[in-house]
Amino acid sequence: MIDSSKNIRPGDILRKKRFGGELTETEIRAFVRGVVDGSFADYQISALLMAICIHGMSDRETLALTLEMARSGEMLDLSRIPGIKADKHSTGGVGDTTSLILVPLVACCGVRMAKMSGRGLGFTGGTLDKMESIPGMRVDLDVDAFERQVTDIGCAIIGQTAELAPADKVLYALRDVTETVDCMPLVVSSILSKKLAAGCDVVVLDVKTGSGAIMQTLEDSRKLAQMMVRIGNLSGKKFSAVITDMDQPLGNYIGNALEVEEAIDVLAGRTAGDLKDVSLQLGAHILKGAGAVSSIAEGVEMLDGKIASGEGLRKFAAMIRAQGGDPRVAEDTSLLPKAKSTVELRADEPGYLAAIRTDDVGNAAKLLGAGRERKTDAIDPAVGIVMHRRVGDKVRRGDLLATMHVGERSDRIGAYNLLRRAIRIGTAPVPRPTLIHDVIEA
Ligand code: URA
Ligand code: CA
């Protein structure tokens, strides 16, 4: 068969999308190939990403992009690992540390977690960056080591291997720094291409909604969730989605080592609240999808039992050890990188914490050095923000609202001003935000 996509030039595709045209499957194949083999330059790819953001993509284009990206590398076959293999993916948030909590807990319940994670994207944090704040921790295992670890201890969290959806690797890094993250077809194709290629049987998607989510309205979040579940289930795997709240940071700790610390606190049973609740809900959906429990309530109870028994924390330590990290952090979080100094933010008026512009909290953490401005930037694992109040809390004048953990390269004034503006205090009581907005099943 003659592959007609070989004759298509980057400029043809760019021009068509610039004026809002619908790309054919052949054009999309040419683009994805060009991304992977380097025949499309970064600036051409970036320009097309921006045109896609501006003009959108039809469902047909999105499906084609997803499938071409999934096929741009190896399609993993995890069938050598016994039992059901599950994965979970978040559309991204702030203080969104659920993977570090639910992966060991679910593994304790007998469902294997073969988790492939990403790095920070835009104002959102990434599990890999968080994991790497643990001294010695490696996230670049090859597929054989990944399979062995999932078989032996029941869980692993690694970066997408070089062979897996390589097109997404290129696009993800460019989107992060070109303001082209919050675009439905790009999010769908990015997440699903990896999940389709990664070989798990059960995938639970955590679709965030609110000011710290890629999709900020519930309507858009629901559309994204439905589209992903629809396209995902075409592949024969079991996809479901939970729409969860991101109208304030999920956990109270934002930043890489800080988020690891909070995850450990949850696993150790020292911290309860929204982060724990969402982690257990998502974990319960995985257990239910895998047939290990018959209801979400049963799943939540089983997972909570693994916190109470200490098994979850021990499993987390085992996963760290298996990936070359220092497992003592599970017992002693002072071994994590720590910032040299802190800056406090206090309430200058009394009232109720009315709203938090969560994306700006994420951006403030980024200004401190917790994320990247350019794709080659190094992050500072120690910096970040600890929030002391949640939406709906009553505050008095002078109450501590947040503590910034700052480093040498932090833009502390920029971060402080952004954070100050992100937290709004009002005079009237406000209800606490709903945590779980919806569940989309196949
Ligand atoms: N997570 C991803 O992997 N890709 C996106 O586009 C958004 C969140
Ligand atoms: Ca980033």
Side-chain angles (χ1 to χ4, degrees), residues 128-147:
L128 295 185
D129 294 329
K130 298 172 201 178
M131 301 249 295
E132 282 181 341
S133 72
I134 299 171
M137 191 83 175
R138 284 187 42 206
V139 296
D140 60 347
L141 309 193
D142 63 27
V143 174
D144 286 341
F146 181 58
E147 280 189 15

Side-chain angles (χ1 to χ4, degrees), residues 120-122 176 372:
L121 185 63
D176 185 30
R372 299 176 182 80

Side-chain angles (χ1 to χ4, degrees), residues 198-210:
C200 281
D201 313 298
V202 173
V203 184
V204 171
L205 302 166
D206 179 9
V207 177
K208 305 290 188 185
T209 192

